[in-house]
Structures are given as structure tokens and as C-alpha cells.
Amino acid sequence: MSYQCILTEVNQGVGIITLNRPEAMNALNATLCREVGEAVDRFEADEAIGCIIITGGSQVFAAGADIKEMKDQSFTDLHRKDFPRVQRDCWRAIEDARKPVIAAVAGFALGGGCEMTMACDFIIAADTAKFGQPEISIGTMPGAGGTQRLTKAIGKAKAMEMCLTGRMMDAEEAERAGLVARIVPADTLAEQALRTASKIASMSQPAVMLIKESVNMAVSCSLDDGMRFERRAFEATFAFEDCSEGMNAFAEKRKPVFKNR
Ligand code: CO8
């Protein structure tokens, strides 16, 4: 499959999507968003793939929505199209994926770029990463989760300050604030992200999917509801042949051979 604004590859059971508009700092135009959505859906449907990485490569993740594409749009244009609907479909594909989606971020992840990383399940950041919601500086505001996901991830004070001033966070501050799972040296980002993703892809996929669903419940429901979901999901894993294989392998001091990976 060939795309205009992204590159895709499969390596060690991992589907890798690389945003590829270097001339525009990977700005998220409609084509790029549509292609990311399609690629995520394609990897989601591919049984040989157990985890997905979205990256912008070694220099920049994405400097936000494509301002040049947006600048002449009127309210009526946006409202009629339910903007960012194309973008929303892309976000939905990421959010609805049952396979884990990792954002591997180097350089700027700004505006819609930051929002795309937050739609992923977790972020591995290069030490060069910079996160921000600078929309205020161009007279607008975040439109794909910047005021919502950022606030849930790092709390009201920091999210409010960042969205109101456009201040960027470097990788260290983002890790301290809980936005980022882990920081790695920039020149090892691709390798470390692949190592993490291929480890997840080597696990029992039904268990991976239930864990992802259960952790996500913690973000969207009460503790009681989440605990109940977790208990039922835990019990359900005992119906998986991989669960029996995993436990028997432990007792027999050997590596498990999961069938559903
Ligand atoms: N859109 C379009 N082109 C861009 C963008 C962008 N967001 N960012 C950079 N570019 C282009 C520049 O125009 C320039 O192109 P050219 O060489 O043709 O002039 C090229 O990329 C390189 O950029 P700079 O020369 O500006 O590079 P610098 O290193 O000097 O600066 C910055 C890098 C700081 C990242 C700077 O480019 C910048 O401030 N970019 C805009 C950041 C921004 O405001 N982002 C928010 C956009 S609004 C948004 O994301 C709303 C989201 C709503 C939801 C929609 C989801 C898709």
C-alpha cells in the first residue's frame, strides 16, 4: 500500500507508521490524518501484528494541524464538515484500536501533534522531545483533546498554564508530569520503541487487549466500576489457552509458547 504523507512497515510483529511531511514538520493535513487512520485500521485487522507504533522519525513528531490548510476556513466550513471530522476519524481509529498504540516522539509534538501522541496508549519520548499546545499563539485553541487529555494526564494547573500560554514542556518535565512513560536517548528512539512494541506483540494478545481495555476504564469510569470490570476480565483470562500455557510453563520452569500472539 502506498501513501502520500506517511510511511508504513512491519517489523517483528509491530506495525510502524511514520509521519512523512518533513518539508512541513509533519504538519497534520487532511491527507496525513486520513492515511494514519487507514493504516491503523489496516494494522488492527492484521492478525500478524500485535502492537502499533506511530512516530514522526528522528527529528520532529508533528508541529500541529496544518495551519496553511486551515487558515482560510470559515466557521461555517468547519461546522458543516464537523471539523476536525477527518482528523476525528483518525483519532477514533487510534482510540478504538484494541491493539496497543505507542507514540515514539522526537522533537516537537505541538498542537494536533501533541494531541495525537496523547490519543496513543503511551508515549516513549526521545530526550529531544518537546510537547505543547501553542494554538493560543495563533488565536485559536486545541481541538482534538488538548484541553481534555492533557488535563487528565498532567493535572489542571500545568494543563491550564500550557494551553493558556503555549509554553512547551521538554521531555524531562513531561516525564515528571506523567505525560510520558519513558525517555530514551534520541539516537535510540526507533530501536527502543520497537523493542517495547515487539515485547508486547510477543505476549498473549487476548490478555494484552483486556489489559489495555481495563487500564482505559480507569480513565473513564468510577473506581468501583473499574474494579468490577477488572475482576471479571481477570476471571475471563482463565478461559484463554494462553493463560493455562503461561501458568504451566512457569510451574515447569520453561518459556511459555503462546498460541495467540
Ligand atoms: N502547519 C503548516 N506548516 C508548518 C507548521 C504547521 N503547523 N509548522 C511548521 N510548518 C512549516 C513552516 O511553515 C516551514 O515551512 P516553509 O519552510 O515552507 O516556510 C517549515 O514547516 C519549517 O518550520 P519553521 O521554519 O517555522 O521552523 P522553526 O524551527 O523555525 O520553528 C516551530 C518550528 C516552532 C514548530 C514553528 O514551525 C511553529 O511554531 N509551528 C506552528 C506550531 C503551531 O502553532 N501548532 C499548532 C497548530 S494548530 C493545531 O494544531 C490545532 C489542532 C486542532 C485539531 C486538529 C487535529 C489535526
Side-chain angles (χ1 to χ4, degrees):
M1 173 94 54
S2 82
Y3 295 104
Q4 259 182 58
C5 300
I6 63 170
L7 304 169
T8 61
E9 65 172 293
V10 176
N11 192 347
Q12 300 172 45
V14 178
I16 304 170
I17 299 169
T18 305
L19 314 183
N20 187 34
R21 296 188 70 212
E23 72 289 355
M25 294 204 148
N26 292 337
L28 309 173
N29 64 7
T31 305
L32 182 145
C33 290
R34 180 175 45 72
E35 290 181 351
V36 170
E38 284 172 11
V40 170
D41 283 343
R42 186 161 61 87
F43 287 150
E44 173 73 359
D46 185 339
E47 286 192 358
I49 288 171
C51 192
I52 298 167
I53 294 174
I54 302 180
T55 185
S58 60
Q59 300 303 310
V60 61
F61 184 81
D66 190 320
I67 301 169
K68 293 169 190 166
E69 186 182 68
M70 275 192 311
K71 72 181 179 47
D72 296 324
Q73 308 249 12
S74 66
F75 166 75
T76 312
D77 294 334
L78 298 189
H79 191 58
R80 286 188 66 170
K81 279 189 284 187
D82 191 11
F83 183 85
R85 191 180 195 111
V86 179
Q87 285 81 351
R88 201 186 63 193
D89 289 347
C90 161
W91 262 242
R92 275 267 170 264
I94 297 171
E95 290 160 357
D96 289 352
R98 296 179 71 209
K99 297 171 183 174
V101 184
I102 300 173
V105 179
F108 294 117
L110 303 178
C114 186
E115 291 169 317
M116 185 180 279
T117 69
M118 293 189 292
C120 298
D121 293 307
F122 62 91
I123 301 169
I124 299 180
D127 48 16
T128 57
K130 281 192 164 39
F131 299 87
Q133 297 292 160
E135 290 90 341
I136 185 71
S137 314
I138 54 167
T140 181
M141 64 175 284
T147 62
Q148 304 302 301
R149 285 207 175 87
L150 190 63
T151 306
K152 287 190 189 220
I154 67 175
K156 178 179 164 184
K158 267 187 189 289
M160 190 70 91
E161 186 217 2
M162 287 178 67
C163 291
L164 290 178
T165 65
R167 180 177 78 79
M168 293 181 210
M169 267 188 180
D170 64 17
E172 281 198 7
E173 184 181 358
E175 189 190 33
R176 274 200 311 276
L179 182 63
V180 155
R182 196 152 54 87
I183 305 176
V184 300
D187 58 355
T188 69
L189 177 67
E191 174 201 328
Q192 300 264 16
L194 180 60
R195 189 178 305 168
T196 304
S198 62
K199 179 164 192 182
I200 293 169
S202 75
M203 304 294 183
S204 168
Q205 289 307 299
V208 164
M209 286 176 182
L210 271 184
I211 290 170
K212 168 169 169 165
E213 199 173 348
S214 194
V215 173
N216 279 333
M217 290 289 280
V219 182
S220 63
C221 71
S222 70
L223 182 60
D224 267 3
D225 288 345
M227 292 297 288
R228 194 170 309 113
F229 179 88
E230 185 189 75
R231 283 199 300 277
R232 298 297 164 254
F234 170 73
E235 290 160 9
T237 62
F238 283 67
F240 301 157
E241 45 194 349
D242 283 344
C243 176
S244 146
E245 164 62 11
M247 292 187 187
N248 280 319
F250 176 81
E252 292 160 17
K253 300 189 186 299
R254 62 174 174 81
K255 278 199 152 191
V257 182
F258 294 130
K259 282 198 181 141
N260 291 297
R261 15 175 305 200

